[in-house]
Amino acid sequence: MNRRLFVTAALTTAALTTAALPAQALARPGALRLRLPAPTGPHRVGTTDLHLVDRDRPDPWVDKPYRELMITIRYPAAGSGPLAPHMRPGAARTFTGVAAEGTVAIPVRIPRGSVDWAATRTHSHAGAAPRGGMPVLLYSHGHLMSRDFGTVLAEELASHGYAVVTVDHTYDPTQVEFPDGRVEGNHQPDPESFETFKRELGIRAVDMRFVLDELESWRGVLDLDRIGIYGHSLGGATAAQSMHDDPRILAGADLDGALGTREDPWGSVTTEGLDRPFLLFTADPSDQNHELVSEFWSHLRGWRRALQVISAAHNTFNDLAVIAPQLRAAGVIGDADLEKLVGTSDVDDSPPDIAAVGAYLRSFFDLHLRGDDDGLLDGPSPQWPQVRFTG
């Protein structure tokens, strides 16, 4: 896709964004309005949503002769536009009910009506014209999460010059809103079983390959000779398996993602490994660090590094890292719930954990996609005292 067509897609996103947000959706009295941190890079962030349809592949979860995906591309922008929402209204309505019940991914209950999920603004400008020549980063969300909860890291990386493509793996998330207003939820028969995780991993890897194929038409705006991938939880395992399956992906990072067990590995990458740079970043203690992660580590034949965020929990690596403290401050959840979601920090006066994750993730991709080495990955840094080097 050339620059003009890219801008046309972004402008369409801007029109849909503003049309889909009636004032009453943003002004529910008494409900908490959340704020996301501003990205730190020198570039304004632009955004566009795309609806992709793979007509050569029946959907593996529902009776449909094609597979459809929603993706968001965030990129360094040359202009501005209206700020995009964190969630579209339909997705926000669905998530309100999901959050009130709790899931294995979000193991606390957030009372219905306590948060106006549709009111949160991102720092991404819908319809903004893109800059050119951007390295590409793919993002895969956690199981029963959605691409919306990868916004903070995506904006941070985009503000530093990357085009970040966040992908919703339809029928795994609890909510995906399509341009016609339809919201699709989780349609897996047993969404909490290891068998589902293993099957889902293979489906996600094919999703990622399809997304990269679709992005080929954007050459010129996107630098498709410099592609990286990262993901959280099952999305981290997806990053590893996608790298294994697709040589176009040059570097990858797993953010607290399990890979199965020795008796039941979730993908071929766990035992066959990788010959390209890979970063493992875990919580502390990590309930995702099953025994197979150690075996996977031993099969990494390229550059590798293992990091850990001290006293962090599993959701430290997604947007709950900034949402959960706001929920606690407003009395929506208690201390125990906060600890369950994002852990506790035992490092006084340290910068936010999600900022540390973003700094190391950017350092990793700068090194391996741009050849820029800031030295952050050489060893512990006083700037980020909560990050421990474990390998």
Side-chain angles (χ1 to χ4, degrees):
M1 181 179 287
N2 60 33
R3 184 181 295 266
R4 186 174 67 82
L5 291 177
F6 189 107
V7 173
T8 299
L11 289 171
T12 300
T13 295
L16 290 171
T17 297
T18 52
L21 292 173
Q24 60 266 31
L26 305 178
R28 290 172 14 198
L32 176 65
R33 295 188 178 191
L34 300 166
R35 295 179 179 175
L36 303 181
T40 66
H43 300 294
R44 180 181 289 116
V45 177
T47 188
T48 186
D49 294 335
L50 291 178
H51 178 201
L52 305 180
V53 181
D54 185 353
R55 299 196 179 277
D56 295 327
R57 179 170 50 134
D59 194 277
W61 297 114
V62 299
D63 184 16
K64 186 182 293 183
Y66 54 87
R67 174 78 166 155
E68 57 181 341
L69 303 172
M70 286 300 300
I71 70 172
T72 294
I73 306 177
R74 289 185 169 85
Y75 50 87
S80 62
L83 293 180
H86 189 235
M87 292 186 195
R88 283 183 170 277
R93 284 192 296 270
T94 300
F95 183 73
T96 296
V98 169
E101 295 298 322
T103 70
V104 65
I106 306 179
V108 304
R109 294 187 176 186
I110 303 171
R112 190 184 298 269
S114 61
V115 179
D116 188 347
W117 296 103
T120 309
R121 301 291 88 186
T122 69
H123 299 275
S124 301
H125 296 256
R131 298 177 183 272
M134 301 168 281
V136 175
L137 301 178
L138 301 175
Y139 171 77
S140 180
H141 58 78
H143 179 59
L144 292 176
M145 294 296 287
S146 74
R147 76 190 195 280
D148 296 331
F149 283 87
T151 296
V152 172
L153 288 176
E155 290 192 327
E156 175 66 11
L157 291 163
S159 78
H160 286 277
Y162 290 94
V164 185
V165 183
T166 59
V167 180
D168 262 332
H169 301 284
T170 315
Y171 305 119
D172 175 328
T174 52
Q175 74 285 333
V176 182
E177 184 168 355
F178 288 87
D180 59 4
R182 170 173 45 102
V183 178
E184 300 287 2
N186 180 277
H187 281 261
Q188 297 163 334
D190 187 2
E192 297 184 18
S193 74
F194 270 26
E195 283 303 311
T196 295
F197 299 159
K198 184 162 59 175
R199 182 182 175 196
E200 175 67 22
L201 182 60
I203 293 166
R204 285 168 172 240
V206 179
D207 285 347
M208 288 306 198
R209 190 159 60 245
F210 169 67
V211 169
L212 278 182
D213 290 343
E214 292 294 291
L215 293 179
E216 282 291 338
S217 61
W218 292 32
R219 276 195 183 271
V221 176
L222 304 179
D223 183 350
L224 292 167
D225 294 321
R226 293 187 291 174
I227 298 171
I229 189 170
Y230 68 103
H232 171 240
S233 195
L234 188 58
T238 301
Q241 188 64 46
S242 296
M243 264 189 82
H244 174 276
D245 296 349
D246 197 325
R248 290 174 293 183
I249 303 173
L250 303 182
D254 177 344
L255 306 180
D256 209 36
L259 294 160
T261 65
R262 199 177 304 280
E263 294 76 22
D264 190 19
W266 295 349
S268 56
V269 69
T270 55
T271 53
E272 296 177 10
L274 295 166
D275 59 2
R276 283 152 285 159
F278 202 80
L279 176 70
L280 282 173
F281 214 153
T282 64
D284 169 35
S286 175
D287 59 358
Q288 304 299 306
N289 195 13
H290 299 298
E291 58 180 346
L292 204 59
V293 171
S294 298
E295 184 167 334
F296 169 65
W297 176 258
S298 71
H299 291 295
L300 293 177
R301 302 181 297 280
W303 187 102
R304 63 181 187 172
R305 190 74 78 240
L307 307 174
Q308 191 172 63
V309 183
I310 299 170
S311 297
H314 188 48
N315 284 303
T316 294
F317 298 89
N318 63 34
D319 289 0
L320 286 171
V322 298
I323 290 173
Q326 295 177 66
L327 298 178
R328 173 63 189 91
V332 174
I333 63 174
D335 291 340
D337 287 337
L338 178 66
E339 183 174 350
K340 188 180 297 184
L341 287 174
V342 296
T344 59
S345 175
D346 62 357
V347 182
D348 293 337
D349 300 322
S350 63
D353 289 345
I354 193 69
V357 174
Y360 281 91
L361 202 57
R362 177 164 61 89
S363 179
F364 171 75
F365 286 121
D366 280 353
L367 176 61
H368 297 294
L369 297 183
R370 288 175 162 154
D372 296 334
D373 187 358
D374 62 4
L376 188 60
L377 291 161
D378 292 343
S381 168
Q383 183 181 2
W384 309 106
Q386 68 268 66
V387 175
R388 174 189 295 136
F389 280 63
T390 58

